[in-house]
Amino acid sequence: MEELCGSFELEDSMPEFLFWDQADFSSQLDHLLLDCSPLAAPLPPWPVPAAPQGGGAEVDSSMPPSPGPPPQRHAANVRERKRMLNINSAFDQLRCRVPTFPYEKRLSKIDTLRLAIAYIALLGDILLSGCDPKSYVEQCLKNGLQSQQQATWNTSDLTARLSWVKWD
DNA sequence: TAGGCCATCTGGTCCT
DNA sequence: AGGACCAGATGGCCTA
Protein backbone atom coordinates (compact mmCIF):
# COMPACT_ATOMS: atom_id res chain seq x y z
CA MET A 1 0.00 0.00 0.00
CA GLU A 2 1.33 3.36 -0.92
CA GLU A 3 1.69 6.07 1.62
CA LEU A 4 -0.58 9.01 1.52
CA CYS A 5 0.79 12.14 0.01
CA GLY A 6 0.69 13.96 3.33
CA SER A 7 2.23 11.79 5.98
CA PHE A 8 2.61 12.45 9.65
CA GLU A 9 6.33 13.04 9.78
CA LEU A 10 6.01 15.97 12.13
CA GLU A 11 9.71 16.51 12.52
CA ASP A 12 9.93 16.88 8.80
CA SER A 13 6.90 19.01 8.42
CA MET A 14 8.47 22.34 7.51
CA PRO A 15 6.60 23.33 4.41
CA GLU A 16 9.06 23.85 1.63
CA PHE A 17 6.68 26.15 -0.18
CA LEU A 18 7.70 28.74 2.35
CA PHE A 19 11.08 28.74 0.73
CA TRP A 20 10.28 28.24 -2.89
CA ASP A 21 11.95 30.79 -5.08
CA GLN A 22 9.20 33.21 -5.90
CA ALA A 23 11.50 35.45 -7.92
CA ASP A 24 12.43 32.60 -10.21
CA PHE A 25 8.82 31.50 -10.49
CA SER A 26 7.84 35.05 -11.32
CA SER A 27 10.41 35.39 -14.07
CA GLN A 28 9.21 32.16 -15.62
CA LEU A 29 5.70 33.50 -15.52
CA ASP A 30 6.81 36.70 -17.16
CA HIS A 31 8.30 34.74 -20.00
CA LEU A 32 5.20 32.63 -20.31
CA LEU A 33 2.65 35.37 -20.08
CA LEU A 34 4.30 37.94 -22.26
CA ASP A 35 4.64 35.46 -25.08
CA CYS A 36 1.37 33.66 -24.79
CA SER A 37 -2.07 34.89 -25.49
CA PRO A 38 -4.92 33.05 -23.76
CA LEU A 39 -5.21 29.43 -24.77
CA ALA A 40 -8.79 29.82 -25.71
CA ALA A 41 -9.52 33.31 -26.88
CA PRO A 42 -13.09 34.27 -26.07
CA LEU A 43 -15.02 36.76 -28.08
CA PRO A 44 -13.66 40.23 -27.44
CA PRO A 45 -15.92 42.18 -25.10
CA TRP A 46 -14.71 45.45 -26.51
CA PRO A 47 -16.60 46.83 -29.48
CA VAL A 48 -15.20 45.67 -32.75
CA PRO A 49 -15.65 48.29 -35.47
CA ALA A 50 -18.42 47.18 -37.72
CA ALA A 51 -17.52 46.61 -41.32
CA PRO A 52 -18.71 49.49 -43.41
CA GLN A 53 -21.81 48.67 -45.33
CA GLY A 54 -23.13 50.05 -48.52
CA GLY A 55 -21.32 52.92 -50.09
CA GLY A 56 -18.79 53.56 -47.35
CA ALA A 57 -15.05 53.23 -47.52
CA GLU A 58 -13.74 50.10 -49.04
CA VAL A 59 -12.98 47.19 -46.76
CA ASP A 60 -9.27 46.58 -46.52
CA SER A 61 -8.97 42.81 -46.32
CA SER A 62 -5.33 43.14 -45.28
CA MET A 63 -6.34 44.82 -42.01
CA PRO A 64 -5.81 42.78 -38.83
CA PRO A 65 -9.09 41.20 -37.71
CA SER A 66 -9.30 42.83 -34.28
CA PRO A 67 -7.38 45.58 -32.50
CA GLY A 68 -7.64 43.76 -29.18
CA PRO A 69 -8.19 45.47 -25.86
CA PRO A 70 -6.62 48.82 -25.05
CA PRO A 71 -3.02 48.56 -23.79
CA GLN A 72 -3.97 49.36 -20.21
CA ARG A 73 -6.64 46.67 -20.20
CA HIS A 74 -4.33 44.16 -21.80
CA ALA A 75 -1.64 44.81 -19.20
CA ALA A 76 -4.20 44.39 -16.44
CA ASN A 77 -5.34 41.11 -17.96
CA VAL A 78 -1.76 39.84 -18.05
CA ARG A 79 -1.25 40.81 -14.42
CA GLU A 80 -4.47 39.08 -13.46
CA ARG A 81 -3.49 35.88 -15.25
CA LYS A 82 -0.13 36.00 -13.52
CA ARG A 83 -1.79 36.53 -10.16
CA MET A 84 -4.14 33.60 -10.70
CA LEU A 85 -1.24 31.37 -11.78
CA ASN A 86 0.51 32.35 -8.57
CA ILE A 87 -2.54 31.40 -6.55
CA ASN A 88 -2.89 28.11 -8.41
CA SER A 89 0.76 27.35 -7.77
CA ALA A 90 0.11 27.80 -4.07
CA PHE A 91 -2.89 25.48 -4.34
CA ASP A 92 -0.67 22.86 -5.93
CA GLN A 93 1.78 23.18 -3.07
CA LEU A 94 -1.07 22.83 -0.61
CA ARG A 95 -2.45 19.75 -2.40
CA CYS A 96 0.86 18.03 -1.82
CA ARG A 97 0.59 18.71 1.92
CA VAL A 98 -2.82 17.29 2.66
CA PRO A 99 -3.56 13.57 2.91
CA THR A 100 -5.19 12.08 -0.14
CA PHE A 101 -6.21 8.64 -1.27
CA PRO A 102 -3.59 6.88 -3.37
CA TYR A 103 -6.03 6.61 -6.25
CA GLU A 104 -7.60 9.99 -5.72
CA LYS A 105 -7.92 12.41 -8.57
CA ARG A 106 -6.73 15.98 -8.25
CA LEU A 107 -8.50 17.80 -5.44
CA SER A 108 -10.55 20.82 -6.36
CA LYS A 109 -9.62 24.16 -4.83
CA ILE A 110 -12.50 24.19 -2.39
CA ASP A 111 -11.84 20.59 -1.34
CA THR A 112 -8.17 21.41 -0.88
CA LEU A 113 -9.00 24.32 1.41
CA ARG A 114 -11.50 22.36 3.48
CA LEU A 115 -9.20 19.39 3.81
CA ALA A 116 -6.29 21.63 4.77
CA ILE A 117 -8.37 23.29 7.48
CA ALA A 118 -9.30 19.93 8.95
CA TYR A 119 -5.75 18.65 8.64
CA ILE A 120 -4.28 21.67 10.42
CA ALA A 121 -6.80 21.21 13.22
CA LEU A 122 -5.72 17.59 13.54
CA LEU A 123 -2.03 18.47 13.67
CA GLY A 124 -2.76 21.06 16.33
CA ASP A 125 -4.63 18.46 18.34
CA ILE A 126 -1.71 16.06 18.09
CA LEU A 127 0.73 18.71 19.27
CA LEU A 128 -1.47 19.59 22.22
CA SER A 129 -1.87 15.96 23.20
CA GLY A 130 1.87 15.28 23.20
CA CYS A 131 1.09 11.74 22.12
CA ASP A 132 2.55 9.70 19.32
CA PRO A 133 0.73 10.85 16.18
CA LYS A 134 0.04 7.33 14.96
CA SER A 135 -1.51 6.07 18.16
CA TYR A 136 -3.32 9.33 18.73
CA VAL A 137 -5.08 9.23 15.38
CA GLU A 138 -5.82 5.55 15.64
CA GLN A 139 -7.37 6.07 19.06
CA CYS A 140 -9.44 8.98 17.83
CA LEU A 141 -10.68 7.09 14.82
CA LYS A 142 -11.55 4.16 17.02
CA ASN A 143 -13.21 6.04 19.84
CA GLY A 144 -14.87 8.86 17.96
CA LEU A 145 -15.03 12.47 19.06
CA GLN A 146 -13.62 13.36 22.45
CA SER A 147 -12.92 17.07 22.27
CA GLN A 148 -14.03 20.20 20.55
CA GLN A 149 -10.78 20.31 18.59
CA GLN A 150 -11.42 16.84 17.27
CA ALA A 151 -14.83 18.00 16.20
CA THR A 152 -13.05 20.53 14.02
CA TRP A 153 -10.90 18.07 12.15
CA ASN A 154 -12.98 14.95 12.39
CA THR A 155 -14.75 15.42 9.11
CA SER A 156 -15.63 12.55 6.88
CA ASP A 157 -13.29 13.96 4.26
CA LEU A 158 -10.25 13.79 6.47
CA THR A 159 -11.01 10.72 8.57
CA ALA A 160 -11.70 8.64 5.48
CA ARG A 161 -8.27 9.54 4.17
CA LEU A 162 -6.62 9.01 7.52
CA SER A 163 -7.94 5.49 7.62
CA TRP A 164 -5.79 4.79 4.55
CA VAL A 165 -2.56 5.92 6.16
CA LYS A 166 0.19 3.34 6.31
CA TRP A 167 2.20 4.26 9.34
CA ASP A 168 5.20 2.00 8.92
C1' DT B 1 -27.56 16.80 -20.57
C1' DA B 2 -27.00 19.08 -16.16
C1' DG B 3 -23.79 20.28 -12.84
C1' DG B 4 -19.12 21.00 -11.11
C1' DC B 5 -14.79 22.99 -11.83
C1' DC B 6 -11.80 25.99 -13.97
C1' DA B 7 -9.49 29.86 -16.76
C1' DT B 8 -10.09 34.20 -18.43
C1' DC B 9 -11.82 38.84 -18.96
C1' DT B 10 -13.65 42.76 -16.85
C1' DG B 11 -14.87 46.72 -13.92
C1' DG B 12 -14.84 48.30 -9.29
C1' DT B 13 -12.38 49.26 -5.03
C1' DC B 14 -8.50 49.81 -2.15
C1' DC B 15 -3.70 50.66 -1.35
C1' DT B 16 0.99 52.56 -2.17
C1' DA C 1 -1.53 56.94 -11.38
C1' DG C 2 -0.67 52.32 -11.34
C1' DG C 3 -0.88 47.89 -9.29
C1' DA C 4 -3.18 44.39 -6.30
C1' DC C 5 -7.21 42.31 -5.05
C1' DC C 6 -11.87 40.90 -5.61
C1' DA C 7 -16.26 39.28 -7.44
C1' DG C 8 -19.34 38.64 -11.39
C1' DA C 9 -19.93 36.96 -16.07
C1' DT C 10 -18.86 33.80 -19.57
C1' DG C 11 -17.51 29.79 -21.97
C1' DG C 12 -14.94 25.31 -22.21
C1' DC C 13 -14.06 20.72 -20.44
C1' DC C 14 -15.25 16.70 -17.92
C1' DT C 15 -18.13 13.40 -15.51
C1' DA C 16 -22.24 11.11 -13.65
Side-chain angles (χ1 to χ4, degrees):
Chain A
M1 179 70 70
E2 301 170 34
E3 280 202 1
L4 293 184
C5 182
S7 64
F8 289 99
E9 298 169 15
L10 294 180
E11 60 280 345
D12 186 30
S13 62
M14 186 63 76
E16 62 235 22
F17 61 80
L18 289 179
F19 306 111
W20 112 70
D21 189 345
Q22 291 212 357
D24 183 56
F25 177 73
S26 181
S27 67
Q28 292 179 25
L29 277 180
D30 286 342
H31 178 264
L32 195 69
L33 291 171
L34 290 177
D35 287 347
C36 301
S37 50
L39 294 178
L43 289 176
W46 53 88
V48 176
Q53 300 189 353
E58 289 184 14
V59 177
D60 185 355
S61 60
S62 66
M63 286 281 283
S66 166
Q72 290 274 56
R73 188 62 254 175
H74 179 261
N77 290 347
V78 169
R79 284 195 304 271
E80 179 65 10
R81 281 202 299 273
K82 183 175 175 179
R83 193 182 71 86
M84 293 307 298
L85 282 174
N86 222 341
I87 292 173
N88 290 340
S89 170
F91 267 104
D92 285 339
Q93 301 279 340
L94 187 57
R95 281 187 188 99
C96 291
R97 289 288 165 176
V98 295
T100 55
F101 294 120
Y103 51 81
E104 191 164 26
K105 66 172 187 177
R106 184 172 176 266
L107 284 173
S108 70
K109 292 179 179 179
I110 186 65
D111 285 341
T112 301
L113 287 179
R114 287 184 173 137
L115 200 53
I117 290 169
Y119 189 45
I120 289 169
L122 164 65
L123 296 179
D125 246 18
I126 292 175
L127 284 177
L128 285 177
S129 75
C131 299
D132 171 57
K134 172 187 174 181
S135 52
Y136 181 84
V137 172
E138 282 178 349
Q139 273 301 311
C140 289
L141 293 178
K142 204 180 299 178
N143 300 338
L145 299 178
Q146 290 180 344
S147 71
Q148 189 55 47
Q149 284 95 336
Q150 285 175 31
T152 303
W153 64 260
N154 200 334
T155 67
S156 59
D157 278 346
L158 181 58
T159 52
R161 289 168 174 83
L162 290 176
S163 66
W164 278 86
V165 172
K166 266 295 186 185
W167 298 94
D168 302 321

